């Protein structure tokens, strides 16, 4: 990029926050997948006004703008596949306000999810959305992907907590939509449209989120199974008890073994599957009773063992295991293709069985874990990209997994989004008419196609 243009960006955000050396550009070429794409320049604004200035300048020069949080995304969404400006929001990391009376927090887009959670929990409040990347991801990225997480079974996904947004349009105008008020039918729900838009409709700079009271009592249990089918059935049985656990997470044997190899936590590597179940509330006796009922449901379905964590350390070890599953898989094979299908809950056993068949047919290990209570499974295909045959097999397996999801009445992505990784399968899932409508929405927001081009469609 020519120096004059670089100087113009520097005037807006300061010279030290415009990066253009080869090393810098390489650093901003990746996300949590193996997608690659080098930006022409990296710009790191500090506030909404600077974002608006940068986006307006990009609009003038017709340069693509790729909004970027912590790049933990698993769909290639923040990768600048066609070049352009990597617009890093991570300097915008201020928690602007926590308002206990209205039970809201107002945060800049670059706030790390766990930082917000810790701050509000210190005040007895609770921000439930908890992607497993909670210590890395930003709230802006969470909103842009409508991130889920283990607790979404009981508490819902990120979008359920978004009350208002400040965003910068493709032309560089600032729009404030929604706010601290709960009810709002004044025009279309623009904030709702931005949720899950993966940086293609606007740059989110500030977010008002709803908070709830923090549950005082939490109990966590691990149930292990000799047969995957028993585990899948136990998920349905647990939910049919009429108790909504806060989380109901599943890991298959490949996942358990990979975590144990990486972390040495004493997990049962000989078992076919395990569930992590958590109940919470404010009444200790009631929470314990619920946990007992859920443990009994697991035993009825054939659980070999159910253990309730007795101490905070035991509980945090269980969560350390669950949160480490994705990084631990890296030890099994150089690459992993992580999928994110969502199926009706009753179809989990069949989905898992068919994914195992795919694994055998393609000759590649596929670890299956995920938010079983939501029917949201993450089959991770383990392979070596340098091997052409394995590469082709991994693609084939991914295609089969999507087909399985669709045949069972499910969908391609429960929480990671489409990005570049799944866009070739989109039409099969949502159909041409829906795509035409969605493209019309995109055109209304971004007629020149400058916001995160090449994503979703
Ligand atoms: C180990 C691991 C575990 C994970 N677990 C989960 C999980 O349990 N649940 C889950 O939902 N996801 C999970 N993810 C995926 C990922 O962390 C989430 O998608 C997260 O929301 C991305 O946040 P980010 O700040 O890293 O966004 P990025 O990866 O930087 O960006 C993601 C998308 O959002 C857009 N975007 C980012 N910020 C903005 C903004 N301010 N305005 C407009 N668009 C923006 C980008 O353009 C891109 O399309 C996991 C990832 C990893 C690596």
């Amino acid at each position: 990029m020519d120096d004059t243009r670089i100087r113009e960006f520097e005037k807006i955000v300061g010279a030290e926050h415009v990066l253009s050396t080869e090393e810098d550009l390489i650093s901003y070429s990746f996300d949590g997948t193996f997608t690659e794409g080098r930006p022409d320049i990296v710009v790191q604004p500090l506030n909404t006004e600077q974002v608006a200035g940068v986006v307006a300048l990009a609009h003038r020069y017709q340069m693509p703008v790729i909004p970027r949080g912590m790049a933990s995304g698993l769909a290639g969404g923040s990768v600048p596949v066609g070049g352009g400006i990597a617009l890093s929001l991570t300097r915008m990391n201020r928690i602007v306000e926590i308002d206990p009376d209205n039970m809201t927090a107002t945060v800049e887009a670059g706030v790390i999810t766990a930082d917000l959670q810790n701050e509000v929990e210190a005040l007895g409040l609770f921000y439930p959305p908890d992607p497993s990347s909670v210590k890395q991801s930003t709230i802006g990225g969470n909103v842009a992907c409508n991130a889920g997480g283990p607790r979404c079974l009981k508490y819902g996904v990120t979008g359920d907590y978004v009350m208002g947004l400040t965003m910068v349009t493709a032309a560089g105008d600032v729009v404030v939509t929604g706010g601290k008020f709960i009810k709002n039918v004044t025009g279309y729900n623009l904030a709702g449209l931005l949720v899950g838009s993966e940086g293609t409709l606007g740059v989110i700079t500030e977010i008002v989120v709803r908070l709830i009271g923090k549950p005082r009592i939490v109990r966590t249990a691990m149930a292990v199974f000799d047969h995957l089918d028993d585990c899948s059935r136990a998920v349905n049985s647990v939910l049919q008890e009429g108790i909504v656990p806060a989380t109901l997470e599943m890991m298959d044997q490949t996942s358990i073994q990979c975590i144990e190899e990486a972390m040495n936590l004493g997990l049962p590597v000989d078992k076919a599957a395990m569930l992590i179940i958590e109940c919470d509330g404010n009444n200790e006796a009631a929470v314990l009773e619920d946990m007992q009922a859920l443990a009994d449901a697991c035993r009825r379905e054939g659980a070999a063992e159910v253990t309730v964590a007795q101490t905070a350390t035991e509980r945090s070890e269980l969560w350390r295991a669950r949160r480490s599953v994705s990084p631990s898989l890296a030890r099994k094979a150089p690459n992993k293709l992580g999928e994110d299908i969502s199926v009706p809950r009753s179809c989990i056993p069949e989905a898992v069985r068919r994914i195992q068949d795919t694994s055998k047919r393609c000759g590649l290990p596929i670890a299956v874990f995920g938010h079983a209570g939501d029917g949201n499974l993450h089959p991770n295909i383990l392979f070596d990209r340098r091997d052409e045959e394995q590469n082709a097999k991994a693609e084939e397996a991914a295609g089969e997994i999507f087909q399985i999801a669709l045949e069972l009445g499910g969908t391609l992505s429960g929480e990671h989004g489409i990005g570049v990784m799944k866009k070739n399968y989109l039409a099969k899932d949502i159909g041409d008419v829906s795509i035409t409508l969605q493209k019309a929405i995109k055109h209304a927001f971004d007629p020149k196609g400058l916001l995160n081009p090449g994503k979703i469609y």
Side-chain angles (χ1 to χ4, degrees):
M1 180 176 303
D2 70 67
D3 280 356
T4 332
R5 206 176 283 185
I6 293 179
R7 296 291 96 77
E8 287 190 72
F9 285 111
E10 286 178 353
K11 256 194 214 152
I12 301 170
V13 298
E16 66 277 36
H17 301 299
V18 176
L19 313 177
S20 56
T21 68
E22 196 67 3
E23 308 86 275
D24 287 327
L25 300 182
I26 290 172
S27 307
Y28 285 79
S29 300
F30 305 93
D31 70 347
T33 64
F34 43 71
T35 313
E36 280 183 53
R38 198 166 300 186
D40 298 309
I41 190 168
V42 179
V43 183
Q44 304 167 318
L46 183 63
N47 52 42
T48 300
E49 197 188 341
Q50 290 188 1
V51 172
V54 171
V55 177
L57 192 57
H59 191 253
R60 179 142 56 87
Y61 288 123
Q62 306 227 15
M63 289 181 72
V65 174
I66 297 86
R68 185 181 178 94
M70 283 294 276
S72 69
L74 294 175
S78 63
V79 179
V81 284
I85 304 169
L87 186 69
S88 168
L89 280 304
T90 51
R91 288 178 70 222
M92 296 186 60
N93 60 0
R94 267 187 332 128
I95 297 177
V96 180
E97 183 197 32
I98 298 173
D99 176 348
D101 290 338
N102 286 305
M103 296 181 84
T104 61
T106 304
V107 298
E108 290 183 336
V111 166
I112 300 293
T113 317
D115 290 346
L116 172 63
Q117 289 179 337
N118 293 337
E119 289 288 319
V120 303
E121 285 181 32
L123 301 173
L125 295 166
F126 195 42
Y127 175 71
D130 62 337
S132 302
S133 51
V134 71
K135 290 189 181 157
Q136 301 132 46
S137 66
T138 63
I139 301 287
N142 294 168
V143 174
C145 293
N146 198 9
R151 285 201 290 247
C152 296
L153 173 60
K154 179 168 179 179
Y155 292 105
V157 294
T158 301
D160 296 318
Y161 292 82
V162 174
M163 298 175 74
L165 293 177
T166 302
M167 64 155 172
V168 172
T169 67
D173 295 317
V174 176
V175 176
V176 179
T177 173
K180 288 186 186 177
F181 38 94
I182 292 165
K183 296 175 85 175
N184 175 12
V185 289
T186 311
Y188 291 146
N189 180 356
L190 293 187
L193 264 180
L194 265 283
V195 171
S197 62
E198 300 186 46
T200 62
L201 299 183
V203 182
I204 300 159
T205 58
E206 202 168 288
I207 305 126
V208 182
V209 296
R210 181 168 72 89
L211 304 174
I212 60 175
K214 182 171 157 51
R216 287 193 297 273
I217 312 292
V218 184
R219 285 289 175 273
T220 310
M222 173 177 81
V224 297
F225 297 83
D226 289 316
H227 305 286
L228 197 73
D229 264 6
D230 295 344
C231 174
S232 306
R233 274 200 324 274
V235 169
N236 292 336
S237 266
V238 158
L239 293 164
Q240 280 159 7
E241 284 296 312
I243 299 160
V244 185
T247 66
L248 190 43
E249 295 287 297
M250 186 178 87
M251 287 180 272
D252 74 353
Q253 188 168 29
T254 311
S255 312
I256 299 169
Q257 288 173 345
C258 289
I259 300 167
E260 190 54 25
E261 269 171 38
M263 312 285 296
N264 207 8
L265 296 170
L267 297 178
V269 288
D270 57 326
K271 297 297 176 201
M274 74 184 250
L275 289 178
I276 297 180
I277 309 167
E278 194 154 276
C279 287
D280 65 5
N282 289 327
N283 178 322
E284 184 157 17
V287 171
L288 286 176
E289 197 179 307
D290 285 354
M291 186 50 96
Q292 193 55 52
L294 302 188
D296 289 346
C298 289
R299 287 191 191 98
R300 269 200 312 277
E301 297 298 349
E305 204 181 324
V306 185
T307 326
V308 181
Q310 296 303 325
T311 61
T313 315
E314 281 176 21
R315 175 172 178 255
S316 76
E317 287 292 274
L318 282 180
W319 280 112
R320 202 149 77 88
R322 171 60 185 91
R323 292 201 193 284
S324 317
V325 59
S326 194
S328 300
L329 297 178
R331 296 169 73 102
K332 201 86 179 167
N335 300 101
K336 67 181 167 71
L337 186 53
E339 298 306 346
D340 172 41
I341 58 168
S342 196
V343 296
R345 223 160 29 210
S346 62
C347 298
I348 288 178
E350 188 173 349
V352 174
R353 226 182 353 260
R354 288 176 64 178
I355 292 167
Q356 286 180 331
D357 290 346
T358 295
S359 168
K360 277 188 206 126
R361 200 166 31 253
C362 295
L364 296 175
I366 303 180
V368 184
F369 61 93
H371 317 299
D374 300 316
N376 183 194
L377 299 174
H378 298 313
N380 272 245
I381 307 159
L382 307 179
F383 70 112
D384 184 347
R385 275 183 84 201
R386 293 164 302 188
D387 179 326
E388 265 181 37
E389 197 186 336
Q390 286 199 26
N391 224 353
K393 291 276 179 204
E395 279 296 319
E396 187 188 325
E400 280 191 25
I401 290 169
F402 293 143
Q403 193 58 33
I404 292 168
L406 297 184
E407 281 173 14
L408 294 176
T411 191
L412 296 183
S413 178
E415 56 184 21
H416 296 164
I418 300 301
V420 287
M421 300 293 282
K422 296 176 200 105
K423 65 179 188 171
N424 294 340
Y425 300 91
L426 191 68
K428 248 187 170 177
D429 188 340
I430 64 175
D432 292 337
V433 177
S434 179
I435 289 192
T436 305
L437 281 172
Q438 297 203 19
K439 282 187 174 167
I441 292 169
K442 164 75 175 167
H443 186 75
F445 275 81
D446 179 20
K448 292 187 175 176
L450 295 176
L451 289 177
N452 213 359
K455 309 295 162 58
I456 305 183
Y457 307 107

